[in-house]
Amino acid sequence: MVSSGSRQTFRFREFELDVAAYELRRDGRPVRLERHPLDLLILLVERRNELVARSDIVDRLWGKDVFVDVDTGVHTAIRKLRRALRDSVDTPAFIETVPGRGYRFIAPVEVGRPPDVVAASPSVPVALPAPVTSARRRSIAWPAAVAAAVVMALAVGLLSWTRRGDSADARITLAVLPFENLGSDPERQYLADGLTEETSASLAQIDPDRLSVKGRTLRYKRTTKTAAEIGRELSVDYLLESSLQSEQGRLRVTAKLIRVRDQEYVWTQTYDYEPASALGLQRELSAAIAKQIRLRLSVDRLDAVARRQTRSADAYDLYLRGRNFANQRTPATTKRAIDYYERATGVDPDYALAWAGLAAAHAASPVNGDAPPLEVTPRARDTAARALRADPDLVEAQYASAFVQWQFEWNWPAAEAGFRKAIALSPDHAWSHISLAHLLSQTGRHDEARATARRARELEPLEPMMHAMSSQMAAQARDYTAALEHAHQSVALDSEFWIGHIMKGQALLHLGQTDLALEELTTAARFSNQNSKAISFKGYLLARSGRTAEARDVLAALEGVSRTRYVPPVAIALVHAALGETDAAFEWLERAEKVRDVHLIFLTVDAKWDTLRADPRFPALLDRCGFTRATR
């Protein structure tokens, strides 16, 4: 039987399950399927014709020791999967129910040829691929090797055109649309997505005084919207539309620049690369470009863009895979991202961008996956330092270092200086703007925080996190109407974004809409794999609503799990505080201080802690953590 690390493509009737691409297709067209039903389908197909027990499904989809309603969760996943397959409960063609025991996949399955590299379901632990060998380099490594060269060519070609065009003296705004993967191999999709983001990042740094680049646009993948519609939504002057295709051992990238106002293609270029010339191409191209336009463009800027990427094909390939998983922000995908980033730095120990990605992934794990901060902090600190040593002028390295200072070291003046330095290096780096805004909010500088957050949303209008964090900042400023508006926008961009649902629940609670708030927190718990923040906030809401018994049930569940694995003590303290159990709340807050719970940073301004502020133990705690020295 095929293992969970399978690289196969499974075909059954009109459907194709591509584990590497993490996609179900019907007659060649993608079928929209949420993560849990898709993970369940992979499990059932891998164990086709076998009985799969409900306990096995729970372990695969949610892991052990989670706060999950097993019956509801499994039934929901099965129902959504059957709907996607157009299957019948009474006369099943695909999934048979074995009453009281589990399920069986009964359709005939054809196993297709495995692709070259694993890119499997983010919630299924699989072995990472072995290092790329010379025999496989032609099909995998060389496209990654030329990626940085492609980015450089697109960036400078575009900039050269704008210097010749009618916008020579004006500041222009641009968005990079998702690269279209024209080949039949879905394995290229991670490369296409990586090129999209790297092109945006490089363009943002090559001439920040004249070129402003809007961020993440992957929402427009396979869009039917016109250039004019997208341009209006993003408020940009130009769109860069590109495609990626492999042809007879060559990689072809075609780029087209679209002027939004008249939808005219004003510049186009095709780039062809051979495997043999890939590794040296970026350096040669950088030198040629610098010579060509040195009187009009800073060579230092060109060098900085060239230094962003490694010279190792294998390291870049692993980095792109890590970045792909990091963007999904779940406990399982964060772990996968860390694995790939570590492999990338193992191949190239001087790869600053991979070190920065590794630091950011470690730093996100206590929030995304309730990882213990005492375990995470040394890793986040060390990897951020490695990124800075490798390239102190890399914006991602400065950002990662500042983030560690903010959430782990609790050195807020150093964090603020770090975020501002990152912004100076790359004014269009939205994550530095939004994190600086959040820090400013936590120090009580709400007006400055609002303006900084607004800039972040302008740069990344399609990133749900920008709107979710803006909601948190509005709530911290006690502007709950604005908090609800930002949260609405966050979940409108991604209906399964659990942090957005938490923010929406928080705003609704403060606006007195308790029932709606409870619905949002229940949704957040489901989409987050029962993250402690969603559970704790639900307990807080129940206690505040007078539903004391239910709140105590939540508290008992949190405390019970905390005996066997890490649960952020702040989560438990919050429910005790809502129940009016002040001494117990402080007992858990003191535990939080000892384990360096990252959620303590919210105590300075979050209204949920207002009932404790008059107690002298509260300012004493903030002072011990160093927060009061940074607030005004």
Side-chain angles (χ1 to χ4, degrees):
M1 183 56 62
V2 181
S3 71
S4 62
S6 170
R7 304 178 187 180
Q8 271 80 3
T9 296
F10 302 101
R11 299 181 181 87
F12 37 93
R13 298 201 177 190
E14 70 271 30
F15 291 96
E16 183 178 61
L17 175 61
D18 191 333
V19 177
Y22 196 51
E23 185 176 65
L24 175 67
R25 295 186 287 270
R26 182 175 183 269
D27 294 329
R29 295 180 177 275
V31 177
R32 177 171 173 77
L33 200 57
E34 296 171 9
R35 182 164 53 85
H36 283 152
L38 186 52
D39 288 344
L40 174 56
L41 178 59
I42 293 171
L43 172 62
L44 292 172
V45 172
E46 287 174 347
R47 295 176 55 181
R48 53 197 175 276
N49 300 318
E50 294 182 11
L51 173 66
V52 180
R54 297 167 63 81
S55 59
D56 293 341
I57 295 174
V58 172
D59 287 347
R60 172 70 74 91
L61 269 59
W62 292 281
K64 301 179 184 299
D65 299 324
V66 294
F67 309 101
V68 63
D69 183 337
V70 172
D71 289 334
T72 300
V74 173
H75 281 309
T76 299
I78 287 288
R79 185 181 70 251
K80 291 181 177 179
L81 182 52
R82 279 184 168 139
R83 186 169 58 208
L85 296 173
R86 305 182 180 183
D87 202 15
S88 168
V89 177
D90 299 324
T91 56
F94 299 103
I95 302 172
E96 178 186 60
T97 301
V98 181
R101 300 190 63 189
Y103 303 89
R104 181 183 292 112
F105 194 86
I106 58 176
V109 174
E110 175 187 351
V111 181
R113 181 183 61 85
D116 291 318
V117 180
V118 172
S121 161
S123 66
V124 181
V126 301
L128 290 172
V132 180
T133 64
S134 58
R136 297 169 60 206
R137 188 177 305 279
R138 182 176 181 87
S139 61
I140 302 171
W142 73 263
V146 303
V150 171
V151 169
M152 176 67 76
L154 293 177
V156 180
L158 169 63
L159 194 59
S160 297
W161 177 85
T162 58
R163 289 185 178 279
R164 293 193 301 270
D166 57 7
S167 58
D169 296 323
R171 178 176 174 82
I172 64 174
T173 56
L174 176 142
V176 179
L177 295 178
F179 275 61
E180 185 179 2
N181 180 23
L182 296 179
S184 59
D185 185 2
E187 169 64 18
R188 300 284 184 216
Q189 192 56 54
Y190 82 95
L191 178 59
D193 291 348
L195 278 172
T196 303
E197 297 191 332
E198 270 306 299
T199 301
S200 293
S202 295
L203 282 170
Q205 296 181 52
I206 204 164
D207 192 1
D209 292 334
R210 295 191 58 254
L211 183 63
S212 177
V213 181
K214 294 295 179 78
R216 189 171 170 83
T217 61
L218 293 181
R219 183 186 181 210
Y220 289 112
K221 193 182 299 183
R222 293 186 288 271
T223 185
T224 58
K225 292 185 176 181
T226 66
E229 290 173 325
I230 298 173
R232 283 194 299 270
E233 290 178 3
L234 297 177
S235 299
V236 296
D237 303 313
Y238 295 92
L239 297 171
L240 186 64
E241 178 185 85
S242 305
S243 62
L244 173 70
Q245 187 171 21
S246 295
E247 294 181 348
Q248 298 179 345
R250 296 166 63 88
L251 181 71
R252 168 165 290 185
V253 176
T254 301
K256 300 175 182 179
L257 184 67
I258 307 170
R259 186 165 52 207
V260 170
R261 70 169 185 260
D262 54 12
Q263 302 191 66
E264 181 180 350
Y265 288 92
V266 297
W267 173 82
T268 184
Q269 185 66 49
T270 297
Y271 304 94
D272 288 313
Y273 296 101
E274 294 282 357
S277 61
L279 287 174
L281 183 58
Q282 180 183 352
R283 297 187 296 278
E284 296 170 10
L285 183 59
S286 301
I289 292 169
K291 181 178 179 180
Q292 178 185 355
I293 60 174
R294 63 182 181 273
L295 297 178
R296 295 175 291 171
L297 183 64
S298 167
V299 175
D300 290 342
R301 284 285 180 181
L302 285 171
D303 288 344
V305 173
R307 286 197 307 270
R308 280 182 61 82
Q309 290 302 344
T310 177
R311 297 183 180 185
S312 165
D314 296 352
Y316 189 70
D317 185 82
L318 291 164
Y319 167 75
L320 285 183
R321 294 176 185 278
R323 184 169 182 163
N324 178 51
F325 283 115
N327 285 336
Q328 299 176 48
R329 299 192 190 94
T330 70
T333 57
T334 298
K335 290 178 181 178
R336 298 285 297 278
I338 288 171
D339 287 338
Y340 279 114
Y341 285 144
E342 286 180 341
R343 289 175 65 92
T345 57
V347 173
D348 182 358
D350 296 321
Y351 194 179
L353 197 55
W355 283 115
L358 183 55
H362 279 308
S365 58
V367 175
N368 291 341
D370 291 334
L374 288 179
E375 294 181 12
V376 171
T377 299
R379 301 170 189 167
R381 180 194 299 130
D382 293 346
T383 50
R386 290 291 299 267
L388 280 178
R389 286 200 299 271
D391 188 352
D393 294 327
L394 182 70
V395 60
E396 288 87 351
Q398 286 292 342
Y399 171 75
S401 178
F403 195 94
V404 170
Q405 292 290 338
W406 171 35
Q407 293 211 4
F408 293 91
E409 306 290 2
W410 297 343
N411 186 344
W412 289 3
E416 180 177 345
F419 287 135
R420 293 190 185 280
K421 185 171 182 179
I423 292 170
L425 287 169
S426 181
D428 288 352
H429 192 249
W431 290 100
S432 293
H433 284 282
I434 199 68
S435 297
L436 174 61
H438 203 175
L439 174 57
L440 293 170
S441 173
Q442 288 171 338
T443 62
R445 289 175 277 176
H446 297 299
D447 290 340
E448 190 177 356
R450 271 190 289 268
T452 307
R454 186 182 309 115
R455 178 57 179 155
R457 295 194 304 275
E458 291 171 353
L459 291 168
E460 291 271 16
L462 301 180
E463 172 52 65
M465 184 65 86
M466 300 297 160
H467 300 277
M469 292 181 71
S470 294
S471 178
Q472 175 65 25
M473 285 177 263
Q476 290 174 172
R478 309 304 200 263
D479 185 351
Y480 301 119
T481 300
L484 182 58
E485 291 173 358
H486 290 308
H488 270 311
Q489 184 62 29
S490 179
V491 297
L493 289 169
D494 184 351
S495 61
E496 297 183 10
F497 184 48
W498 65 275
I499 297 177
H501 286 288
I502 284 183
M503 294 299 103
K504 193 173 178 181
Q506 175 174 254
L508 288 167
L509 171 63
H510 288 300
L511 290 171
Q513 301 182 49
T514 305
D515 291 342
L516 290 177
L518 186 59
E519 290 179 13
E520 291 297 327
L521 295 178
T522 301
T523 300
R526 184 171 73 253
F527 287 140
S528 68
N529 274 0
Q530 310 297 315
N531 185 282
S532 66
K533 281 171 288 302
I535 301 300
S536 171
F537 200 171
K538 183 177 180 179
Y540 172 87
L541 184 152
L542 291 169
R544 284 279 305 272
S545 304
R547 298 163 66 172
T548 303
E550 293 173 84
R552 291 197 183 282
D553 287 342
V554 172
L555 188 60
L558 287 167
E559 291 181 339
V561 174
S562 73
R563 299 186 187 100
T564 58
R565 65 174 175 85
Y566 177 78
V567 173
V570 167
I572 298 174
L574 181 63
V575 184
H576 279 298
L579 289 168
E581 299 168 354
T582 303
D583 289 342
F586 276 106
E587 177 185 343
W588 282 97
L589 287 175
E590 288 168 4
R591 295 188 192 185
E593 180 190 357
K594 291 178 182 177
V595 300
R596 307 287 293 185
D597 188 342
V598 298
H599 301 89
L600 283 171
I601 66 174
F602 292 93
L603 266 63
T604 56
V605 287
D606 195 321
K608 294 192 290 294
W609 300 98
D610 284 355
T611 57
L612 301 185
R613 294 190 191 281
D615 192 300
R617 289 174 288 184
F618 195 83
L621 172 66
L622 297 183
D623 187 59
R624 290 196 304 273
C625 294
F627 300 152
T628 53
R629 294 189 294 275
T631 57
R632 297 180 179 178

